[in-house]
Amino acid sequence: MKKLTSETLRQLYLKFFEDKGHKIIPSASLIPENDPTVLFTTAGMHPLVPYLLGEKHPAGKRICDVQKCVRTGDIDEVGDSSHCTFFEMLGNWSLGDYFKEEMIPWSFEFLTSPKYLGIPVKDIAVTCFAGDKDCPKDEDSAEIWRKCGILPENIYFLPKSGNWWGPAGATGPCGPDTEMHIIRNHAAADKLNAYQFDDAPSGTFLEIWNDVFMQYNKTADGKYEPLKQRNVDTGMGLERTLCILNGKSSVYETDIFENAIAKIEELTAHTYDESEEVTRAFRVVLDHVRTATFMIGDTKGIAPSNTDQGYILRRIIRRAVRFGRNIGLPQGSLKEVSATFIAKYAEVYPELKINSARIYEELEKEENKFSKTLQQGIKEFEKVAAISTVTIDGVTAFHLYDTYGFPVEITGEMAREKGLTVDIAGYEAAYAEHQAKSRAGSEQKFACGLADHKEETTNLHTATHLLHAALKKVCSPDIEQRGSNITEERLRFDFNFARKLTPEEVAEVERLVNEQIALDIPVVMKEMALEDAKAQGFTGLFDSKYGERVKTYSIGEFSKEICGGPHAEHTGLLGAFKIAKQENVSAGVKRIKAILIK
């Protein structure tokens, strides 16, 4: 078995499949484009769903890559020897080209040949699909493995829960798979029959690779229909494979983390392996800083926020801060740990180096924000825990979130460390009550974000629509309104964006808005069904406030929004548009204040 570095393993894998006629493609973004059912790209197949369903890939029918992935279901487990939130997946695909007859022998060759990984055949076990009412037993794969040289006693059969892959969401491409495992306890493995794989003692097997044979598409009503083309989708976890090849007990002891460990040891008075508690803290910081670095540095860069991907990012940064403080990691150090990962991955993922300033800025902002209240919040938690016997009530958990910035998951984790639980239902009720009060107060102060319906206010409201559309065109089509407040003197518009606009972007936004004003375009209102409005490309927020029919406002093809407020009859009434100020509202949310000059 070869000892390899992460760089060598990537190159070896890609070269092997390039020699088999595959085109190498770059890793896709961590934010999936083709699967709205998940927040992050969790497998190499996500960016390829259209091609797995039959669309032609520009690189052809044989492709391979190293895909960046994030899985967040086990965040609380990070700190043990194997869990990571970010990982790299080595993968190759056949898009309607080769199938089991080619892929399984290639897998065998890459695993066992001295030219590649050099793993002894006797140490490899494989599992195949046992069959059920949806799909027959996969005897084809088992027979091919036997012909390759896998010992018959090391071939096992598992049900759909063990040897079936996909779909990633509720529907999509899927099929039987065959998994490759390293046998770590031969004595235990020898006692099992072909259907007892799951009965093996913990640590008997360790999975290293997975070949998925996509033959079906799962429909919304739960049926499995044959795909128009049969595909192969494989996945080999880079970190886990490195761990196995180098005889390490943990993925954190591979070359990927060595420089970051050295940096944390330099910044603290601790060494990585001095105690179980310290090792766990190191691992949490290592994993979470690496993941945050890739999230922020992604081509679709994420910023900490209170929703969706931004919430996960905020949670892992704050968890890294808390565990970092446990080992004396000084405030402001996360960016120093991040720098070691940027240097490590610079050649493989150049976007990290390109976006390094943004990565450092977001890490520092979020760390400083949380650090200000962390110690005080911990003291408050300790007081609560001291008087709690079984459960921390939901109102208290919400207070820790609202006052000290503790995500309820962190409160839950701290509670578990003391043998306590958190009343999640009570927390959610307190959170919902807080939101209702906030909305009520806002509605009393402003109607549709407007202080009144004066001509000046109405004109500024219309200009807000133009501003929103211009921001989408200049900065990002993903920009959405986060709130507005309009008086007769100025407009205030909040929107999701990771940074302030550059002077060039400000000038271009102003130019586009003033261009629409100069064209004196009619502002057209139409009432229609909400679903029709969405289908026609009208944008709108706060869907829960809309009825079945809505008012839509079009300003040519430039702006199309669902809105209930007053608007100017045509854009020529507005005057010259000028951005007066930019402000930072919160992580990932920016504010523009603008005026109209007659």
Side-chain angles (χ1 to χ4, degrees):
M1 198 179 299
K2 283 188 175 180
K3 291 187 176 182
L4 302 174
T5 65
S6 56
E7 289 83 3
T8 303
L9 178 56
R10 282 192 207 95
Q11 293 165 4
L12 203 62
Y13 186 91
L14 294 175
K15 182 66 168 61
F16 177 86
F17 283 100
E18 189 176 36
D19 290 344
K20 305 293 186 187
H22 292 66
K23 296 290 185 181
I24 299 172
I25 61 173
S27 172
S29 167
L30 283 174
I31 310 301
E33 291 185 3
N34 302 307
D35 193 344
T37 63
V38 291
L39 290 175
F40 298 101
T41 298
T42 63
M45 68 167 283
H46 282 172
L48 299 172
V49 167
Y51 311 107
L52 295 168
L53 290 172
E55 188 177 320
K56 293 186 182 299
H57 195 288
K61 293 184 175 182
R62 297 186 179 190
I63 54 178
C64 64
D65 71 2
V66 183
Q67 174 62 48
K68 302 178 293 184
C69 300
V70 166
R71 293 182 185 173
T72 60
D74 298 319
I75 288 179
D76 291 339
E77 303 302 318
V78 171
D80 64 10
S81 62
S82 61
H83 280 90
C84 293
T85 48
F86 172 87
F87 61 96
E88 294 176 272
M89 187 67 79
L90 305 168
N92 63 281
W93 289 269
S94 164
L95 304 175
D97 188 8
Y98 58 83
F99 207 54
K100 298 175 185 179
E101 296 78 7
E102 294 85 5
M103 187 61 235
I104 290 175
W106 289 344
S107 296
F108 182 83
E109 179 185 0
F110 188 74
L111 289 173
T112 62
S113 169
K115 186 178 177 182
Y116 300 106
L117 302 192
I119 300 172
V121 175
K122 67 179 180 61
D123 291 338
I124 298 175
V126 299
T127 60
C128 302
F129 180 55
D132 62 13
K133 61 182 178 60
D134 299 316
C135 185
K137 182 179 179 181
D138 190 6
E139 276 287 6
D140 294 342
S141 293
E143 181 58 28
I144 297 170
W145 281 120
R146 292 186 195 102
K147 289 180 178 178
C148 286
I150 296 294
L151 300 176
E153 60 267 29
N154 289 339
I155 299 175
Y156 300 87
F157 292 91
L158 292 173
K160 191 169 282 179
S161 59
N163 271 112
W164 186 273
W165 182 257
T171 62
C174 55
D177 66 0
T178 181
E179 298 178 355
M180 291 140 270
H181 303 256
I182 302 302
I183 304 173
R184 292 199 150 184
N185 184 338
H186 281 274
D190 290 344
K191 297 177 182 178
L192 306 173
N193 67 38
Y195 295 90
Q196 290 181 311
F197 185 86
D198 284 338
D199 297 330
S202 177
T204 303
F205 303 102
L206 187 61
E207 183 186 349
I208 191 171
W209 203 357
N210 185 8
D211 290 350
V212 180
F213 303 115
M214 291 188 177
Q215 300 169 248
Y216 303 94
N217 180 53
K218 185 181 179 184
T219 64
D221 57 1
K223 293 180 180 179
Y224 292 85
E225 299 177 344
L227 287 171
K228 293 179 180 179
Q229 65 178 39
R230 298 190 306 176
N231 309 301
V232 174
D233 163 29
T234 84
M236 174 184 280
L238 177 77
E239 291 85 352
R240 178 177 289 192
T241 304
L242 279 177
C243 181
I244 293 169
L245 293 174
N246 290 287
K248 302 295 184 181
S249 59
S250 165
V251 296
Y252 295 98
E253 289 154 21
T254 62
D255 67 282
I256 288 172
F257 295 97
E258 60 185 7
N259 293 336
I261 288 174
K263 175 55 68 174
I264 296 173
E265 289 180 336
E266 175 191 322
L267 294 167
T268 68
H270 297 279
T271 56
Y272 168 78
D273 56 359
E274 69 179 60
S275 71
E276 186 176 328
E277 183 179 358
V278 168
T279 299
R280 180 168 184 254
F282 263 75
R283 288 172 176 172
V284 171
V285 174
L286 290 166
D287 173 81
H288 288 0
V289 172
R290 182 173 70 142
T291 303
T293 298
F294 273 91
M295 284 183 177
I296 301 167
D298 191 80
T299 51
K300 295 183 179 179
I302 305 164
S305 72
N306 289 327
T307 59
D308 299 332
Q309 291 96 345
Y311 179 80
I312 299 296
L313 174 58
R314 171 164 286 168
R315 181 182 169 194
I316 65 170
I317 293 175
R318 293 189 172 191
R319 194 167 186 259
V321 172
R322 186 170 81 84
F323 277 88
R325 294 299 180 272
N326 291 347
I327 53 175
L329 192 65
Q331 183 172 332
S333 296
L334 295 191
K335 63 183 182 181
E336 294 191 52
V337 180
S338 174
T340 67
F341 289 119
I342 293 173
K344 178 69 176 175
Y345 290 103
E347 290 188 14
V348 186
Y349 302 109
E351 66 269 21
L352 297 183
K353 189 171 183 180
I354 293 169
N355 298 321
S356 60
R358 183 175 75 200
I359 294 169
Y360 300 147
E361 179 185 6
E362 293 293 349
L363 282 173
E364 188 170 35
K365 281 196 303 185
E366 190 62 29
E367 183 177 4
N368 289 342
K369 184 182 295 184
F370 188 46
S371 294
K372 289 177 182 177
T373 56
L374 177 61
Q375 294 306 318
Q376 197 174 352
I378 289 175
K379 288 179 183 177
E380 183 69 17
F381 173 83
E382 294 293 344
K383 291 178 187 176
V384 171
I387 60 174
S388 301
T389 54
V390 178
T391 302
I392 294 174
D393 67 87
V395 173
T396 300
F398 178 72
H399 172 69
L400 287 168
Y401 167 74
D402 188 45
T403 306
Y404 301 105
F406 279 26
V408 68
E409 294 86 359
I410 286 183
T411 300
E413 184 174 34
M414 293 169 66
R416 285 191 295 275
E417 290 170 1
K418 294 184 176 293
L420 300 170
T421 60
V422 174
D423 176 12
I424 297 299
Y427 166 84
E428 291 174 348
Y431 188 86
E433 181 182 355
H434 170 77
Q435 286 184 312
K437 288 180 179 178
S438 297
R439 281 196 297 268
S442 176
E443 288 165 1
Q444 288 169 10
K445 189 171 183 181
F446 297 103
C448 299
L450 279 69
D452 52 54
H453 288 195
K454 294 178 181 178
E455 180 184 345
E456 294 85 353
T457 310
T458 298
N459 288 345
L460 280 159
H461 181 213
T462 308
T464 303
H465 284 235
L466 297 174
L467 170 62
H468 190 184
L471 287 169
K472 283 179 172 287
K473 296 179 190 301
V474 174
C475 299
S476 169
D478 297 325
I479 282 177
E480 293 180 348
Q481 179 180 331
R482 290 288 185 261
S484 68
N485 169 236
I486 303 167
T487 70
E488 62 180 307
E489 297 174 344
R490 56 98 183 106
L491 70 83
R492 192 183 78 192
F493 183 75
D494 298 348
F495 58 100
N496 58 310
F497 202 49
R499 56 174 175 78
K500 286 188 176 182
L501 274 64
T502 65
E504 293 78 14
E505 288 169 335
V506 169
E508 180 61 10
V509 168
E510 290 178 340
R511 186 191 70 78
L512 285 175
V513 173
N514 284 313
E515 183 177 68
Q516 304 309 306
I517 293 172
L519 290 171
D520 197 17
I521 303 169
V523 179
V524 179
M525 189 279 285
K526 288 184 180 180
E527 288 192 13
M528 63 181 72
L530 176 59
E531 291 306 314
D532 289 341
K534 290 180 179 179
Q536 292 179 32
F538 285 89
T539 62
L541 302 178
F542 317 119
D543 282 10
S544 61
K545 293 187 176 182
Y546 296 146
E548 292 184 5
R549 293 189 65 80
V550 294
K551 286 184 176 181
T552 66
Y553 287 86
S554 302
I555 305 175
E557 289 298 316
F558 188 80
S559 169
K560 299 173 72 174
E561 290 197 35
I562 301 169
C563 189
H567 297 75
E569 292 184 0
H570 49 94
T571 59
L573 298 172
L574 303 188
F577 175 83
K578 178 69 177 176
I579 292 177
K581 190 176 184 180
Q582 293 189 71
E583 294 177 348
N584 194 38
V585 179
S586 63
V589 179
K590 297 296 175 282
R591 172 173 294 164
I592 280 178
K593 291 182 178 179
I595 58 174
L596 290 172
I597 305 169
K598 291 290 188 178

